[in-house]
Amino acid sequence: MKKATSLFLVAVLFSSGTVLAQKKKTAVSADQKMNTYISNLMSKMTLDEKIGQLNLPSVGFDITGPILSQGVEEKIEKGLVGGVFNTYTPAAVKKLQDLALKKSRLKIPLLFGYDVVHGHKTIFPIPLGLSATWDMSLIEKSARIAAREASADGLNWTFSPMVDIARDPRWGRMSEGSGEDPYLGSLIAKAMVRGYQTNNLSSRDAILACVKHFALYGAAEAGRDYNTTDMSPNRMYNEYFAPYKAAVDAGAASVMASFNDINGTPATANKWLMTDVLRKQWGFNGFVVTDYTGIPELIAHGLGDLKTVSALALNAGVDMDMVGEGFLTTLKESLKENKVSMATIDQACRRILEAKYKLGLFENPYRYISEERAAKEILSDGNRLDAKAITRASLVLLKNNNQVLPLKGNAKIALIGPLADNKRDMIGNWSAAGDWRKSVSVLEGLKRYAPQMEITYAKGANLVDDAHILKQINNNGADIVADEKSPERLIEEAVSAAKKSDVAVVVLGESAIMGGEATSRTNLDLLPNQKALLKAITATGKPVVLLLMNSRPLTLEWEDANVTAILETWFGGTEAGNAIAEVLVGNYNPAGKLTATFPRNIGQIPIYYNHKNTGRPFDGNELDKFKSRYIDSPNDPLYPFGYGLSYTTFSYSPLSLNAKVMSPAGKLQASVQVSNTGNYDGEEVVQLYIQDIYGSITRPVKELKGFQKIFLKKGESKTVTFSIGINDLKFYNADLKHVAEPGDFKVYIGTNSRDVVGSTFTLVK
Ligand code: BGC
């Protein structure tokens, strides 16, 4: 290196060193300032007021249970409430904040929480759909818009992101997360936290994130909500923990304990999880809130009476009690009996006050409350445009025979199905503040984007006919009324529309209320009345495009074998109809990829791509009896993780590695050339998978380790290169140490987790 250059470098390093030191100093003094402020405040607080900060009642519109919180306003005046949830709009928030600031002794501002899960008023696709974009900037943008709208509406805390890895589509909450993969799930968790919190929590449009449900909620046995989880620590660390940790690393200000029992100790009372893993190993320094009535539910779990379980939760590391009021009503007595310590109560109280301080609430408790901003920000044209772009990117093309999609400009379309002209279901479950009346149906979207097309609409079937399911979902707001026409008549009309058309587009799936919390199912076929409609339409011999709306993978073997094309649209949010129409008419070429495996049948569940091998892997020979397989079904899924087609086609060259050997400090470049060989410009998510062939413990057959979403013009080729480093090869070994073991690895690149090109390399010591 030349002397002048090296001197210059030294100078740069030195000055960046001083900048860093300066930054650190500022952070330390900001922390000191906060600590002094809070210590001073706490020195004035009574025990009741401290315990009051740990209390989170629900006020207003309650969506996850009966309204249990009583006398909240009076409690706020007495300083017995730390925050509330389910209250929003500037006026409603101001009313309660006024009570805290004008009537309570110490005037401590309240937190205002809410389930802003996939948008506040401008609703984005359900999170499972969002994840299918594989686009971190779009996902972050959705969270940013959600935070801007929510904060304008008086909120300062969202119960999101939900990052539970889920491998069981029977579980209705799969819709709320990002699917089955820990690597992708981690990137999404980070993007969401950044979107909500920005890098400055005290800015007017940032809100606290709450990563949930810690932990392993997605592994509920038999896919039944709230059910037990029993899992080896090894599996937890290698397959389930990463997205929670990623959210913590990204600075998530709060964590929500999950409802479920984990290896004998429900998360809410689980000290190992809440303190050893979360705080000691991961360095989390925010606050932990229970889930809805999580503390009293420990009684039914069988851990003791309310006083006992409240003390258990606090001692485990829980800081805030959502709705349960176990802390409020029993901690004082437990303190007297030495079941909890003053230091533990103080610590929990301090953590909640710190969150308020970081939000800037002590400086200006009304910082979020502005009718003007609400009117300007909420459901703005810009937000809706962004939502449309995000929704388009979430759509996954599962099948497209004879290139029936995109629809030809002059085609006669029969638009059929109970979800075809439906606004109510478009915003999906957990669109808590969303107004379905503001959403766009597929029929409306098609009329807008294909005004020249002749479209005949026929409902064809009720969304749900099954009396048993209907009773339950209507009780939860589905509002489904049976059509006055008989089911037979509805089908007849649809068949006659299909016969007169060039293509039938049939929009089927679940009611939005059939997904989300407490919606486990044991059958994932299309509902029988919808299937009957689809069969009748297919029997006309016309090309059939099946448009699906659903909260989870469904079992679609018959559909895959019998319809011409399938487009998975999840529940796409406020702009669903416009986004879908743009894809149908070819204004946008779909590029979404599945983030959860679609099984062939329910018996294959749990099914996921990153499984282990057995000692007797199945090699396709059905007469070879003693292999790990079913005698009545293939092992492989209908659509694998990472799968999704495009209107164009892509070809992959063989994989090339720049070396066959990698040293621990080195990097390896794995490349393929991807070519757009079809007739449309398009995007492709190029995926990198690695397998550690021999390990000190068994390792999955493949793990996602990278991906790039690229755009290729028709006829264009690009070389896509992934850089593989030691961190991509690490896993938690039998001692839960994060290590990379020297030896042979397979590396794969492909269009999904099944269709890949591969090579091998060796990691040396
Ligand atoms: C859900 C949480 C949610 C909370 C508050 C619970 O029932 O499990 O995900 O954040 O309610 O609404």
Side-chain angles (χ1 to χ4, degrees), residues 43 161 171 182 263 277 290 403 417 480 498 513 578 632 681 727 730 751 755:
S43 71
W171 191 54
N263 295 357
V277 175
T290 69
Q403 298 220 309
I480 298 172
I513 308 281
N578 286 331
D632 59 354
D681 300 345
N727 286 333
K730 284 188 176 164
T751 181
D755 302 315

Side-chain angles (χ1 to χ4, degrees), residues 56 58 61-65 85-86 114-117 158-160 162 164 173 176 210 212-213 217 225-226 256-259 289-293 297 322-323 430 432 517:
L56 178 70
S58 164
F61 175 62
D62 218 330
I63 39 178
T64 53
F85 70 114
N86 290 333
Y114 199 55
D115 288 279
V116 180
V117 173
T158 175
F159 303 137
S160 169
M162 188 283 214
D164 303 320
R173 302 202 77 170
E176 295 173 51
C210 182
K212 70 188 189 186
H213 306 84
Y217 186 32
D225 208 0
Y226 317 121
M256 186 184 292
S258 57
F259 285 125
V289 62
T290 69
D291 202 343
Y292 202 104
T293 58
E297 288 179 25
M322 186 191 284
V323 179
W430 276 120
E517 189 167 350

Side-chain angles (χ1 to χ4, degrees), residues 635-668:
N635 282 359
D636 67 332
L638 186 62
Y639 306 122
F641 173 84
Y643 175 83
L645 306 173
S646 162
Y647 291 158
T648 192
T649 46
F650 297 102
S651 75
Y652 282 66
S653 73
L655 191 157
S656 85
L657 284 174
N658 70 333
K660 284 301 234 181
V661 170
M662 181 178 142
S663 68
K667 290 268 184 201
L668 208 65

Side-chain angles (χ1 to χ4, degrees), residues 237-256:
Y237 277 81
N238 280 315
E239 299 169 37
Y240 280 80
F241 274 173
Y244 306 108
K245 180 169 185 303
V248 168
D249 290 345
S254 65
V255 166
M256 186 184 292

Side-chain angles (χ1 to χ4, degrees), residues 496-562:
S496 118
K499 281 185 177 156
K500 286 182 218 136
S501 73
D502 300 319
V503 183
V505 176
V506 190
V507 194
L508 301 176
E510 298 180 292
S511 146
I513 308 281
M514 286 168 70
E517 189 167 350
T519 59
S520 299
R521 296 181 64 189
T522 63
N523 183 339
L524 298 177
D525 291 344
L526 283 178
L527 293 166
N529 65 322
Q530 293 192 25
K531 189 112 161 204
L533 167 67
L534 187 61
K535 285 190 168 164
I537 302 299
T538 327
T540 62
K542 297 285 178 174
V544 174
V545 174
L546 172 60
L547 261 177
L548 287 168
M549 295 184 183
N550 41 286
S551 289
R552 43 157 67 93
L554 298 176
T555 44
L556 301 166
E557 258 199 320
W558 185 90
E559 290 75 4
D560 181 69
N562 290 284

Side-chain angles (χ1 to χ4, degrees), residues 443-522:
L443 179 60
E444 287 171 339
L446 261 185
K447 282 188 176 158
R448 175 160 176 209
Y449 285 96
Q452 76 295 351
M453 267 182 199
E454 195 182 314
I455 303 168
T456 313
Y457 163 73
K459 183 171 165 191
N462 291 308
L463 181 52
V464 181
D465 257 358
D466 179 301
H468 185 222
I469 297 180
L470 198 58
K471 192 166 100 194
Q472 298 174 69
I473 61 175
N474 273 348
N475 189 39
N476 279 310
D479 264 349
I480 298 172
V481 183
D483 201 282
E484 51 197 31
K485 293 175 192 151
S486 70
E488 296 74 24
R489 179 85 197 111
L490 287 172
I491 291 186
E492 270 165 35
E493 281 179 4
V495 166
S496 118
K499 281 185 177 156
K500 286 182 218 136
S501 73
D502 300 319
V503 183
V505 176
V506 190
V507 194
L508 301 176
E510 298 180 292
S511 146
I513 308 281
M514 286 168 70
E517 189 167 350
T519 59
S520 299
R521 296 181 64 189
T522 63

